[in-house]
Amino acid sequence: MRIACEQSFKTEKATKQSQINRSVPWWTHEPSVMRKTTNHLRRKYQRTRDNAEQRETNKAAYFEQKAKYTATIKREKTKSWKEYCNLTIEAKPWNAVYRLAAGKKKTNTQLTTLRKTDGSRTRDKEDTLRLMLEYFAPEDNELEDNNHHKQVRELTDQQPNTLDDREFTREEIRRVIDGMNNKKAPEDDDITAEIYKVTFKLFPKSITALYNECLKNRIFPERWKKAKIIPIIKPHTKNSEDVTKYRPIILLNIGGKILEKVLITGINHQMYTTEFFNRNQCGFIPQTNTTDAVMALKEFVEEGFSKGEITVMVSLDVEGAFNSEWVPNVLKSLQESGCPRNLYNLTKNYFSKRSATMQKKLH
């Protein structure tokens, strides 16, 4: 039986370091002191061998202390469990206990003071959250536009001189929904990807009509534009005061993700058909990756070496590239690519009136 279990069950041996760092929530200073006293009396009892009377005395003292130590541990365990039951907000508290016992329970990281761009530091928690939100989801302030920005913005307000694209097909919607990850966390409505998959199987015509109505009316529902930002501290940056120490995890509504993906599919089809992308671009292009870019660079350098030429390379790393992208410039590029009018207008509505919230407890 034991051999069969050992061969069937996956077991992990605890390392010496993990055993040293692991603790339990009910352990306090009192049982620590009592454990030392108990171990001392046990060793004293075991080492007394020549004097039978003294050995019995030491034995009685050891068992009395051991009983007190055992009772203290039981009391502390019960006390800790009662406190946990009164404080936990989880629907299934046993899950949290098991995660804690397995060392998988993550503790919340407290917000720390951050340094602003002018060199000053945030004053309180609200000021820190405001700085993080401004960095992760910057606002587009028209008052800061120069003449070039004003011209681009006016251009994006004009309707493109293109025809409407066809409606989304049932197969397109099904393919996007089936490709959604069931483990992705939903937004506040708690409607998961798995629910959408089951619903689409029951009502494929209605779900397809819903998204085509969004395309027809050029409306991306506002409830699908709400984002919840959960900042996670990057490795080895715990003591940093820079806002870039946090990596944002953004939770979006699953329904909005589906509409977003079918919209992107339609735009990409237009981009590939018109060959709008630069031929040297490897990112975000099907059947290409960074390896292709590296190999192209390698061939270019080797060709220069064969001719006795010197190759100079300049590498640019744009900080917060997606956060800093200017929406009117994206819309201008869509117009230049010949994007269908309904896809363009739906994209424009997608970028408008978006909102983001951030929770105070971090991970």
Side-chain angles (χ1 to χ4, degrees):
M1 179 73 71
R2 180 179 60 82
I3 296 176
C5 291
E6 290 177 351
Q7 293 177 349
S8 302
F9 298 154
K10 180 181 178 181
T11 59
E12 295 182 1
K13 294 183 179 180
T15 62
K16 184 176 181 181
Q17 186 65 28
S18 65
Q19 290 175 337
I20 293 175
N21 294 334
R22 180 168 293 186
S23 183
V24 287
W26 50 265
W27 192 264
T28 60
H29 178 69
E30 183 180 1
S32 297
V33 175
M34 296 186 71
R35 180 175 60 181
K36 292 181 179 180
T37 304
T38 304
N39 289 337
H40 169 70
L41 292 176
R42 176 177 56 81
R43 289 192 297 268
K44 186 177 180 180
Y45 154 61
Q46 291 175 340
R47 292 172 182 174
T48 305
R49 299 177 180 177
D50 298 335
N51 191 329
E53 183 178 353
Q54 185 63 43
R55 180 179 173 84
E56 287 299 322
T57 302
N58 293 344
K59 178 180 178 181
Y62 161 62
F63 278 103
E64 181 181 357
Q65 176 63 24
K66 182 180 178 181
K68 292 180 180 179
Y69 176 51
T70 304
T72 300
I73 289 179
K74 184 177 180 180
R75 184 184 71 246
E76 292 298 331
K77 284 182 177 180
T78 304
K79 178 182 176 183
S80 176
W81 173 244
K82 288 182 178 180
E83 290 177 351
Y84 176 81
C85 290
N86 291 332
L87 295 176
T88 184
I89 58 174
E90 299 194 29
K92 298 180 179 180
W94 281 108
N95 291 345
V97 175
Y98 289 146
R99 291 198 301 272
L100 182 64
K104 298 179 180 180
K105 183 73 173 178
K106 295 184 179 180
T107 57
N108 290 324
T109 303
Q110 297 298 321
L111 280 171
T112 58
T113 300
L114 297 178
R115 184 174 56 253
K116 300 181 181 179
T117 54
D118 59 2
S120 62
R121 288 172 171 76
T122 53
R123 300 182 302 274
D124 49 31
K125 183 180 293 184
E126 283 68 25
D127 198 19
T128 299
L129 287 172
R130 190 179 302 110
L131 175 63
M132 295 169 65
L133 200 56
E134 290 174 356
Y135 176 75
F136 295 139
E139 293 187 7
D140 181 17
N141 189 354
E142 296 186 26
L143 299 178
E144 299 177 356
D145 286 357
N146 56 29
N147 291 333
H148 171 71
H149 292 154
K150 291 179 181 179
Q151 292 176 1
V152 173
R153 201 182 293 274
E154 290 175 359
L155 180 64
T156 58
D157 289 335
Q158 301 175 10
Q159 286 294 320
N161 188 23
T162 55
L163 299 176
D164 285 343
D165 196 18
R166 58 170 177 75
E167 291 186 339
F168 301 133
T169 65
R170 184 181 302 183
E171 178 61 22
E172 286 177 330
I173 303 296
R174 183 198 63 76
R175 189 161 52 245
V176 169
I177 293 179
D178 287 346
M180 300 296 291
N181 189 344
N182 291 342
K183 295 182 179 180
K184 289 289 184 180
E187 230 276 331
D188 290 339
D189 61 3
D190 292 330
I191 301 179
T192 64
E194 191 172 4
I195 294 177
Y196 270 95
K197 292 177 181 180
V198 174
T199 304
F200 183 80
K201 289 180 179 179
L202 296 174
F203 310 104
K205 185 177 180 179
S206 299
I207 300 298
T208 303
L210 170 66
Y211 287 108
N212 277 319
E213 280 298 309
C214 293
L215 178 63
K216 178 181 177 181
N217 296 297
R218 284 84 162 170
I219 294 178
F220 201 101
E222 288 191 20
R223 67 179 302 172
W224 289 354
K225 299 179 184 179
K226 298 178 181 179
K228 180 186 293 184
I229 300 178
I230 302 178
I232 297 179
I233 296 181
K234 298 178 182 178
H236 313 299
T237 61
K238 184 177 181 180
N239 298 325
S240 173
E241 292 185 345
D242 198 336
V243 68
T244 57
K245 69 185 286 186
Y246 294 105
R247 177 182 291 111
I249 302 298
I250 301 178
L251 301 183
L252 296 171
N253 189 289
I254 300 296
K257 285 184 179 181
I258 296 172
L259 180 55
E260 178 183 300
K261 286 181 179 294
V262 292
L263 173 60
I264 292 175
T265 300
I267 293 175
N268 283 340
H269 176 73
Q270 173 66 24
M271 295 287 189
Y272 301 143
T273 302
T274 59
E275 297 185 353
F276 181 76
F277 291 119
N278 190 301
R279 293 185 177 181
N280 293 323
Q281 178 175 334
C282 295
F284 308 103
I285 302 293
Q287 300 179 350
T288 62
N289 52 36
T290 54
T291 303
D292 297 312
V294 173
M295 293 303 298
L297 175 62
K298 177 177 176 291
E299 293 175 1
F300 180 82
V301 173
E302 288 178 344
E303 182 180 352
F305 281 167
S306 65
K307 298 178 181 180
E309 298 175 347
I310 298 175
T311 303
V312 178
M313 183 178 70
V314 178
S315 178
L316 299 178
D317 182 10
V318 181
E319 180 179 324
F322 289 100
N323 299 344
S324 306
E325 181 58 51
W326 191 42
V327 171
N329 198 46
V330 175
L331 297 175
K332 176 175 174 291
S333 297
L334 287 178
Q335 287 186 337
E336 294 174 349
S337 71
C339 181
R341 183 168 49 191
N342 55 353
L343 295 180
Y344 173 84
N345 288 323
L346 182 58
T347 303
K348 185 177 180 181
N349 186 268
Y350 166 82
F351 283 123
S352 67
K353 297 181 180 179
R354 299 192 68 86
S355 61
T357 58
M358 184 179 298
Q359 64 181 28
K360 294 185 178 181
K361 289 185 178 181
L362 310 184
H363 294 269

